Amino acid sequence: MSDKYDVVVIGSGPAGYVAAIRAAQLGLKTACVEKWQKDGKMVNGGTCLNVGCIPSKALLDSSHKYHDAAHAYQSHGIVTGEMSVDVPAMIARKEKIVAQMAGGISGLFQANGVTSVFGSGRLLAGHKVEVTAADGSVQTLEADNVIIATGSLPINIPVAPVDNDVIIDSTGALELQEVPKRLGVIGAGVIGLELGSVWGRLGSEVVVLEALPDFLAMMDKQIAKESLKIFKKQGLDIRMGARVTGSEVKDGQVTVSYENGEGTQQETFDKLIVCVGRRPYTEGLLAPDSGVNLDERGFIFVDDYCATNAPGVWAVGDVVRGPMLAHKGSEEGVMVAERIAGQKTAMNYDIIPNVIYTHPEIASVGLTEEEVKQSGEPYEVGTFPFMAIGRAVAADQAEGMVKIVAHAETDRVLGCHIVGPSAADLVQQVAIAMEFGSSAEDIGMTVFGHPTFSEAVKEAALAVHGHAIHMPNRKKRK
Ligand code: FAD
Ligand code: NAD
């Protein structure tokens, strides 16, 4: 059997499903192929909805509520009794949210006229996609354009092979049915910090082992330093320069060996999460004559507009270069759908917000101070602590700061870096300003509501010129 479409998308994660919906909105006959199944049923939404962004945030929110009730309510005059955690109930709540969100995608497909095709897709020559269903039946979809959006998988390391029992990856860490007494985490990246926080808040003694010497090396240094200080105060044991060299599972526990400056060390844990990055998912995807090339790191090679080297074949999301972020893939999906429809859409890769959902959150957009310094452009920096923000003090969330980096001559905002309350939402304000080419002065002249956390953004912008009102300025300017 063969069906002809304008667009066939392979993968229904945030890159693929958004591409499919946008293509259908533009009047293109669109199908989306997905192989993920749960309990024998096709599941849309990819990593993000099923085992990534959404379930991790559900558990981050639940664990934060528990932690606040156990440790933070007293200072507000709220007296709680003895507290306990029902982990299976917490996990069941997360599952319900996941099912609700994934069901939402199916509803959106129906509403927009996207045809959902269940099975594993393989790109053949000539824009054909062979789909093998779970029962082994095969159909071929023909298309004028194919969009590959097959995402990524966790990286496995031979020194700590995942057994889905004692040694787990991020997916396993979202499914634990009890709080491990001692939890090891390999990798102090985004997942290590988020999932380490979840189980740490619920009572695990968490040790994070990170091979690199610097904490959050890709972040602005000042914000990374401030974040580390806060996490240490929270009791998260983060060991930098700790390279894991081996692991041994015995009697339901794992002993991890790692090397640091002082030699070989060992730690024993009840569970070990391996989160050392993700790799592009291309297994079984490309027939030898599909004409699509991979780059040297195994990602599908694409140009600035996500076109592969095979005409009419595009690739978006985690399976191509760039940050592995849901919103980055979604925007690529929109861009590609619109380009297929004949529009000239381009994506601004310079302004992609990045958030780590710890408490407090860490968020950034644009260039770090170090990157601007390295570029040789003259720049000014403005910082403002949440400690001087009334709303933050009232909420007992006064840790952290906002930092804005602006060009010294044009005053154009080049980057914003935040650790503090609602950092994810605050950084988005600056992302919008940057998208419109805003100067620090423009932000400083904008009227911000009082009292809000966002006043820290305004004050940091004012501080770029030494005009912050609610703290003494280091630079004194008229
Ligand atoms: P995916 O979401 O991985 O989707 C790809 C889909 O393609 C999958 O459903 C897969 O089954 C399907 N597929 C693969 N091969 C085939 C094939 N041959 N045939 C048919 N279907 C196929 N990002 C954020 O921006 N914010 C966050 O807060 C965040 N939190 C995260 C937390 C965790 C624990 C993890 C693991 C990731 C998180 N991410 C977060 C990253 C985010 O999930 C990914 O960047 C995003 O899901 C990538 O989207 P995608 O559509 O490219 O790929
Ligand atoms: P990551 O790249 O963020 O961090 C991995 C860390 O592991 C790095 O710091 C690396 O130096 C360290 N590492 C690698 N090998 C090691 C070893 N042998 N021993 C000790 N440390 C080692 O990767 P991740 O945390 O697995 O996340 C994967 C991707 O998922 C990220 O690229 C991220 O973009 C995405 N994600 C995003 C969010 C979010 O946006 N909030 C949340 C989760 C995941």
Side-chain angles (χ1 to χ4, degrees):
M1 193 178 83
S2 176
D3 279 321
K4 181 86 203 262
Y5 290 90
D6 296 318
V7 178
V8 168
V9 183
I10 309 177
S12 71
Y17 83 73
V18 170
I21 290 173
R22 186 68 189 119
Q25 281 176 352
L26 290 161
L28 301 166
K29 186 181 175 198
T30 305
C32 186
V33 182
E34 176 57 65
K35 70 177 181 186
W36 198 306
Q37 54 171 318
K38 199 169 177 189
D39 305 327
K41 285 201 197 112
M42 172 181 176
V43 181
N44 286 314
T47 303
C48 167
L49 260 67
N50 292 290
V51 294
C53 319
I54 301 304
S56 60
K57 269 77 244 176
L59 293 185
L60 276 157
D61 284 337
S62 295
S63 60
H64 181 61
K65 282 187 194 301
Y66 171 74
H67 189 267
D68 256 8
H71 302 286
Y73 281 8
Q74 291 82 344
S75 67
H76 293 264
I78 301 169
V79 182
T80 50
E82 200 173 313
M83 305 253 320
S84 63
V85 186
D86 181 346
V87 179
M90 205 177 267
I91 299 291
R93 172 187 174 274
K94 175 216 69 170
E95 286 299 323
K96 209 170 137 201
I97 291 162
V98 165
Q100 180 188 336
M101 301 305 291
I105 308 286
S106 306
L108 287 171
F109 276 179
Q110 264 179 7
N112 285 284
V114 175
T115 304
S116 247
V117 182
F118 183 18
S120 188
R122 178 172 157 86
L123 180 69
L124 312 177
H127 306 162
K128 290 197 176 82
V129 178
E130 180 187 83
V131 183
T132 308
D135 64 7
S137 61
V138 178
Q139 62 171 317
T140 304
L141 310 178
E142 282 186 55
D144 290 333
N145 285 275
V146 174
I147 305 175
I148 298 171
T150 49
S152 63
L153 294 172
I155 291 176
N156 258 312
I157 45 174
V159 289
V162 169
D163 62 9
N164 290 318
D165 179 18
V166 181
I167 307 182
I168 54 181
D169 58 16
S170 56
T171 301
L174 294 168
E175 286 164 1
L176 294 177
Q177 293 295 317
E178 57 184 45
V179 181
K181 198 162 171 323
R182 292 206 85 218
L183 174 67
V185 177
I186 308 183
V190 197
I191 294 180
L193 292 174
E194 290 187 0
L195 296 182
S197 295
V198 165
W199 296 106
R201 289 170 192 166
L202 297 178
S204 276
E205 193 187 315
V206 179
V207 178
V208 184
L209 303 171
E210 166 59 52
L212 294 178
D214 293 326
F215 182 62
L216 293 179
M218 73 296 184
M219 286 271 176
D220 185 276
K221 266 199 167 43
Q222 190 177 4
I223 295 298
K225 201 169 148 202
E226 181 74 12
S227 308
L228 184 61
K229 208 168 77 189
I230 295 171
F231 294 143
K232 286 205 161 151
K233 217 168 103 191
Q234 290 176 358
L236 213 55
D237 182 351
I238 303 173
R239 302 185 191 170
M240 304 305 299
R243 199 169 57 81
V244 175
T245 51
S247 60
E248 193 189 355
V249 177
K250 210 171 144 193
D251 301 331
Q253 288 191 312
V254 54
T255 300
V256 177
S257 309
Y258 66 94
E259 273 166 25
N260 60 10
E262 288 148 23
T264 302
Q265 317 289 333
Q266 285 197 328
E267 284 285 354
T268 298
F269 302 110
D270 300 297
K271 296 279 178 198
L272 177 68
I273 309 176
V274 181
C275 40
V276 294
R278 297 177 63 84
R279 62 178 178 82
Y281 190 1
T282 55
E283 275 87 345
L285 177 67
L286 303 171
D289 59 353
S290 70
V292 171
N293 287 346
L294 303 183
D295 68 17
E296 65 285 352
R297 292 165 60 219
F299 291 86
I300 292 183
F301 178 78
V302 288
D303 67 10
D304 290 350
Y305 306 106
C306 291
T308 71
N309 55 301
V313 181
W314 312 74
V316 293
D318 279 13
V319 78
V320 304
R321 83 283 175 268
M324 287 183 166
L325 296 171
H327 42 286
K328 173 261 192 187
S330 298
E331 289 304 318
E332 288 178 333
V334 169
M335 170 174 72
V336 166
E338 293 183 353
R339 290 187 82 85
I340 290 172
Q343 299 179 13
K344 300 241 175 301
T345 313
M347 179 175 158
N348 185 355
Y349 282 94
D350 294 335
I351 304 180
I352 301 178
N354 196 338
V355 181
I356 306 179
Y357 291 85
T358 43
H359 192 83
E361 293 169 349
I362 308 169
S364 71
V365 64
L367 300 174
T368 63
E369 181 177 353
E370 292 71 35
E371 285 169 333
V372 179
K373 191 184 272 179
Q374 208 176 18
S375 74
E377 292 292 327
Y379 68 93
E380 296 280 1
V381 166
T383 58
F384 197 85
F386 283 100
M387 214 172 49
I389 294 294
R391 182 76 187 85
V393 175
D396 217 355
Q397 296 185 52
E399 284 181 312
M401 63 161 89
V402 175
K403 173 173 182 174
I404 289 181
V405 187
H407 196 284
E409 286 159 7
T410 65
D411 196 34
R412 195 177 174 130
V413 176
L414 302 173
C416 176
H417 310 278
I418 306 176
V419 53
S422 300
D425 294 292
L426 299 191
V427 93
Q428 196 60 49
Q429 302 178 351
V430 181
I432 295 171
M434 287 172 71
E435 196 61 61
F436 285 91
S438 167
S439 63
E441 187 183 33
D442 290 330
I443 298 178
M445 287 175 74
T446 304
V447 182
F448 280 64
H450 174 77
T452 55
F453 295 128
S454 64
E455 286 172 291
V457 172
K458 178 185 171 89
E459 289 274 10
L462 289 171
V464 169
H465 302 290
H467 297 166
I469 299 294
H470 293 91
M471 73 171 184
N473 290 280
R474 261 191 262 141
K475 313 167 209 168
K476 300 257 188 247
R477 301 230 188 102
K478 293 245 156 73

